[in-house]
Amino acid sequence: MNMDFNTLKAIIDAYPYELVFVDRNHIVSFMNKAAEKRYGKAVKIGESIFNCHNEGSKIKIEEFLKRADAGEDEMFEALNMKKGEREFFVPVRDEEGKVIGYFERHEKYWTEETAKETVKPSPYIPY
């Protein structure tokens, strides 16, 4: 089954966390709605991700890419206590396994105390 771009975009926009896809040249190629909302004008499609990242981030991203090229998949990046999120570096590969880009995946950090806060029933599914 082949999916058209609009269907794939709708699926990615349904993901509640920010997703910014960056190509191998570090150019932002795609952002989902959550990313557009969170980053506003700080991150722009067609521009370098390093326009909004510091030198330390650049070094960290380059190291993750080396590890991805060596075969690693999703890599734990950080626990951001300020935002209550775990952050992961996710390489994206073509059909031949070559890394063509990457994105950072965020998820809420789960504890017993926050579990009830972060999981909300869908208004579309009766419980």
Side-chain angles (χ1 to χ4, degrees):
M1 177 175 114
N2 289 328
M3 254 191 270
D4 66 18
F5 176 79
N6 290 332
T7 302
L8 186 56
K9 184 177 181 329
I11 292 168
I12 295 170
D13 280 341
Y15 185 65
Y17 302 109
E18 304 79 25
L19 194 146
V20 178
F21 175 74
V22 182
D23 71 18
R24 194 58 198 243
N25 296 312
H26 309 291
I27 302 300
V28 176
S29 300
F30 177 84
M31 296 169 53
N32 70 351
K33 284 185 181 182
E36 290 172 354
K37 182 177 179 181
R38 182 172 180 173
Y39 301 125
K41 297 183 190 288
V43 178
K44 296 180 184 173
I45 291 175
E47 294 187 1
S48 173
I49 193 70
F50 299 128
N51 289 347
C52 64
H53 278 26
N54 61 30
E55 188 63 30
S57 293
K58 182 176 182 177
I59 292 167
K60 186 165 52 169
I61 288 169
E62 292 292 352
E63 179 59 34
F64 282 134
L65 280 173
K66 285 179 191 173
R67 290 170 54 190
D69 287 339
E72 282 192 57
D73 288 319
E74 181 175 83
M75 297 165 231
F76 179 72
E77 186 175 337
L79 175 58
N80 186 327
M81 294 303 287
K82 182 178 178 183
K83 296 176 186 170
E85 295 176 341
R86 294 189 309 169
E87 299 171 358
F88 298 85
F89 179 87
V90 183
V92 177
R93 300 175 193 283
D94 64 14
E95 292 178 358
E96 296 160 2
K98 180 181 174 190
V99 177
I100 58 171
Y102 56 91
F103 64 92
E104 189 175 70
R105 182 175 69 80
H106 300 249
E107 65 180 33
K108 290 290 180 191
Y109 181 68
W110 281 63
T111 64
E112 287 188 36
E113 296 82 34
T114 62
K116 292 179 183 177
E117 298 171 12
T118 58
V119 177
K120 297 179 181 158
S122 168
Y124 307 106
I125 301 172
Y127 286 92

